[in-house]
């Protein structure tokens, strides 16, 4: 008699199906028959996918309650801020405040500046003597994070930004990150005290980071805004420098 794919032992079927992209498994394979649905829902299948894609660590075994969600989050994980390091001019950024001599882009290390710890970053955005703020609004569903996932699993949302002063001028830096509902109501906010850097500082790049956990259900957007100005009102671009911003969602692997 001819053997069909349905006659394959479960472990072979797991091995075969684990080669397929997650969306095909969930949208197509799961609907084929009860046996396939059963296999697609198996923890072993998603653990196998994690192993294949390099997301698996032995130490995670006890802490992961849902390997399918863990796989999806690892697979989706990337920087949601577009053009974080000024490689595409001001594309994807909204210039909320653009005063003094306005925002500008410069090459690292810049006058009276330092290189970034990350050698892949080559440019930064720099502020002037009037308030300069820019922002991005991230639509989670558009980035692959469906509503139920955000509401039931509340994956960690990690925000990072890098800022530096120039050695010869004082400046201030500000960051605001808001988790917004579908009606743009603020559900949670990270807005630390502005950082004021005095003239003749070490001009080193510093990282600020924050992780949102156990936030309310209903998060549909993330709004990120940063900027500042110089504190000595010098014409030109003596204010805070920012680059390499990031927002990532999901497990800290």
């Amino acid at each position: 008699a001819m053997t069909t794919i349905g006659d394959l032992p479960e472990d072979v079927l797991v091995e075969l199906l684990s080669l397929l992209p997650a969306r095909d498994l969930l949208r197509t394979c799961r609907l084929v028959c009860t046996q396939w649905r059963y296999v697609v829902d198996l923890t072993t299948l998603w653990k196998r996918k994690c192993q294949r894609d390099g997301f698996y660590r032995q130490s995670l075994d006890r802490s992961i309650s849902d390997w399918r969600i863990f796989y999806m989050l690892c697979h989706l994980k990337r920087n949601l801020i577009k053009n974080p390091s000024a490689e595409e001019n001001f594309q994807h950024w909204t210039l909320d405040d653009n005063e003094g001599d306005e925002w500008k882009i410069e090459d690292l290390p810049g006058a009276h500046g330092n290189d970034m710890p990350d050698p892949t970053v080559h440019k930064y955005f720099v502020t002037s003597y009037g308030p300069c703020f820019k922002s991005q609004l991230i639509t989670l569903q558009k980035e692959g994070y469906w509503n139920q996932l955000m509401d039931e699993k509340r994956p960690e949302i990690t925000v990072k930004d890098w800022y530096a002063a120039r050695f010869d001028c004082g400046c201030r830096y500000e960051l605001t990150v808001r988790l917004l509902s579908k009606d743009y109501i603020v559900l949670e906010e990270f807005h630390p005290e502005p950082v004021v850097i005095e003239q003749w500082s070490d001009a080193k790049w510093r990282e600020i980071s924050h992780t949102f956990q156990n936030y309310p259900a209903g998060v549909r957007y993330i709004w990120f805004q940063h900027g500042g100005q110089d504190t000595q009102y010098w014409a030109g671009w003596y204010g805070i420098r920012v680059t390499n911003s990031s927002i990532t969602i999901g497990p800290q692997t």
Side-chain angles (χ1 to χ4, degrees):
M2 230 175 80
T3 315
T4 68
I5 197 164
D7 300 327
L8 292 170
E10 188 181 290
D11 57 336
V12 178
L13 203 50
V14 163
E15 200 59 24
L16 279 175
L17 290 176
S18 73
L19 290 162
L20 294 171
R23 42 187 310 153
D24 295 343
L25 288 172
L26 298 172
R27 289 183 181 178
T28 312
C29 301
R30 215 175 159 272
L31 310 177
V32 170
C33 60
T34 41
Q35 187 205 11
W36 278 36
R37 187 173 72 199
Y38 167 76
V39 172
V40 169
D41 289 346
L42 281 175
T43 292
T44 46
L45 178 125
W46 294 97
K47 211 183 236 192
R48 187 72 191 96
K49 283 189 75 60
C50 286
Q51 284 172 327
R52 280 189 192 286
D53 289 9
F55 304 145
Y56 178 79
R57 308 263 179 296
Q58 191 99 47
S59 58
L60 294 169
D61 269 358
R62 281 198 186 83
S63 59
I64 306 292
S65 59
D66 186 332
W67 281 92
R68 174 158 78 177
I69 293 294
F70 178 76
Y71 176 82
M72 302 298 266
L73 286 171
C74 289
H75 184 68
L76 281 168
K77 193 170 184 180
R78 65 202 186 282
N79 186 0
L80 299 176
I81 294 263
K82 295 171 178 67
N83 185 23
S85 306
E87 291 295 341
E88 302 167 81
N89 207 358
F90 288 100
Q91 216 178 319
H92 305 294
W93 291 98
T94 301
L95 303 181
D96 306 313
D97 286 293
N98 202 13
E99 306 195 16
D101 284 321
E102 306 186 340
W103 278 101
K104 189 185 175 204
I105 289 165
E106 292 178 350
D107 293 321
L108 278 158
H112 298 279
N114 286 297
D115 273 317
M116 275 279 297
D118 182 345
T120 65
V121 180
H122 304 295
K123 295 172 188 284
Y124 57 81
F125 302 95
V126 57
T127 61
S128 186
Y129 61 86
C132 292
F133 287 93
K134 64 186 178 64
S135 62
Q136 272 188 43
L137 182 71
I138 290 153
T139 305
L140 291 169
Q141 201 145 23
K142 220 190 269 178
E143 302 295 343
Y145 297 91
W146 61 101
N147 296 350
Q148 194 187 353
L149 173 74
M150 296 309 296
D151 296 350
E152 289 177 11
K153 301 297 174 184
R154 321 269 169 99
E156 291 189 350
I157 300 171
T158 300
V159 179
K160 295 181 177 178
D161 199 20
W162 286 84
Y163 64 91
R166 20 184 311 159
F167 172 66
D168 56 353
C169 189
C171 59
R172 61 186 272 146
Y173 163 80
E174 255 180 273
L175 173 68
T176 308
V177 185
R178 294 179 179 149
L179 308 185
L180 305 173
S181 73
K182 71 174 196 308
D183 303 321
Y184 303 98
I185 290 158
V186 180
L187 299 178
E188 203 145 304
E189 178 178 78
F190 174 62
H191 180 60
E193 281 290 299
V195 178
V196 177
I197 300 171
E198 301 296 329
Q199 189 179 20
W200 317 125
S201 70
D202 61 11
K204 280 201 167 59
W205 285 93
R206 288 189 165 73
E207 185 185 43
I208 184 167
S209 92
H210 177 75
T211 299
F212 293 96
Q213 290 165 312
N214 309 319
Y215 43 83
V219 174
R220 300 295 174 260
Y221 302 97
I222 304 171
W223 184 73
F224 175 102
Q225 186 198 56
H226 64 176
Q229 65 186 97
D230 87 34
T231 48
Q232 289 164 232
Y233 301 98
W234 290 355
W237 296 274
Y238 289 84
I240 198 75
R241 301 165 167 187
V242 291
T243 194
N244 203 26
S245 317
S246 68
I247 294 175
T248 49
I249 295 182
Q252 308 296 314
T253 43

